[in-house]
Amino acid sequence: QVQLQESGPGLVKPSETLSLTCTVSGGSVSSGSYYWSWIRQPPGGGLEWIGYVYYSGHTNYNPSLRSRVTMSVDMSKNQFSLRLNSVTAADTAVYYCARYLTVSDYGDSLDYWGQGTLVTVSS
Amino acid sequence: DIQLTQSPSVLSASVGDRVTITCRASQGINSYLAWYQQKPEKAPKLLIYAASTLQSGVPSRFSGSGSGTDFTLTISSLQPEDFATYYCLQLNAYPLTFGGGTKVEIK
């Protein structure tokens, strides 16, 4: 059973960089079958896809955040990471990591999710 | 970006009711649509992918239909554990986008 677990600071100051790591167990980030995604959800709000990273280092970011986002993979630790710079209060949200499965016949999905971690941006 | 519009935003229903949630895309997305259930303080859970394929382990009272721009999620007989918020997600084009959510609450 694949499991994902987010980790990182729960409080970040405005203008600083938010850094989160997702540790994968029961599966490998080096598998070519999956992309590794980040999604966020502000308190009481909806879901926003931030982007994905592939084991090769290929990335695809949401244009709304592209100028501030960096994602990477560490295959030696079976982890992938998110960095979001120049944060403001609007970046306060629960951040989820998820496995993005792409298959034939329209069967793509975000099939496994971490439990989420709340990151608050405040001084 | 492809916009997904869910309706209704809030649905009041009773145990045993048949419930239908709709998701309309701003442009055609073939069948690249998934449905998720989210309970408070929990991560979304995949229910359906490819618009109508039930994820393994999901009860058969959940079903999905549609293609192109109009999709539905149906719960044939609402159970107490089904009171939650439901989201659709399109995976036809980047950026991936979610619907605004439908909260199913107890009537």
Side-chain angles (χ1 to χ4, degrees):
Chain A
Q1 174 80 347
V2 176
Q3 292 186 313
L4 293 86
Q5 177 69 58
E6 304 88 351
S7 59
L11 181 64
V12 181
K13 290 182 168 56
S15 79
E16 296 190 346
T17 297
L18 178 161
S19 294
L20 295 174
T21 296
C22 183
T23 301
V24 179
S25 58
S28 174
V29 296
S30 60
S31 169
S33 300
Y34 311 111
Y35 297 79
W36 303 95
S37 268
W38 290 94
I39 302 98
R40 69 179 184 178
Q41 184 172 36
L47 297 158
E48 179 181 33
W49 179 75
I50 301 171
Y52 73 65
V53 60
Y54 193 49
Y55 79 100
S56 64
H58 168 66
T59 55
N60 191 334
Y61 303 143
N62 192 321
S64 67
L65 296 167
R66 182 176 292 149
S67 64
R68 298 193 292 131
V69 169
T70 304
M71 296 182 188
S72 60
V73 168
D74 185 337
M75 287 186 281
S76 67
K77 295 181 179 179
N78 215 33
Q79 295 176 335
F80 61 104
S81 299
L82 167 71
R83 289 174 58 87
L84 180 67
N85 60 35
S86 304
V87 298
T88 69
D91 295 310
T92 294
V94 175
Y95 285 76
Y96 296 100
C97 59
R99 190 177 79 170
Y100 177 18
L101 172 65
T102 61
V103 296
S104 59
D105 296 329
Y106 313 112
D108 297 7
S109 68
L110 299 169
D111 61 348
Y112 287 94
W113 295 58
Q115 65 185 26
T117 186
L118 174 63
V119 178
T120 301
V121 179
S122 175
S123 55
Chain B
D1 297 5
I2 296 175
Q3 311 300 320
L4 296 181
T5 303
Q6 283 185 239
S7 60
S9 54
V10 178
L11 190 159
S12 297
S14 302
V15 173
D17 284 354
R18 181 181 181 88
V19 165
T20 298
I21 298 168
T22 66
C23 177
R24 175 163 289 175
S26 59
Q27 62 190 79
I29 58 171
N30 296 296
S31 295
Y32 283 104
L33 189 99
W35 288 97
Y36 293 82
Q37 176 193 68
Q38 187 179 33
K39 296 182 178 179
E41 312 302 320
K42 296 292 187 182
K45 173 188 173 184
L46 177 64
L47 299 176
I48 286 169
Y49 60 91
S52 60
T53 303
L54 203 63
Q55 173 71 342
S56 176
V58 174
S60 59
R61 62 181 180 272
F62 291 92
S63 64
S65 65
S67 67
T69 59
D70 294 307
F71 302 86
T72 60
L73 172 70
T74 299
I75 309 172
S76 60
S77 178
L78 199 64
Q79 297 303 299
E81 60 268 31
D82 300 337
F83 291 97
T85 300
Y86 294 84
Y87 292 94
C88 54
L89 164 68
Q90 70 80 20
L91 304 105
N92 182 73
Y94 298 115
L96 305 186
T97 49
F98 292 87
T102 296
K103 184 177 182 180
V104 177
E105 59 180 28
I106 301 171
K107 191 172 186 178

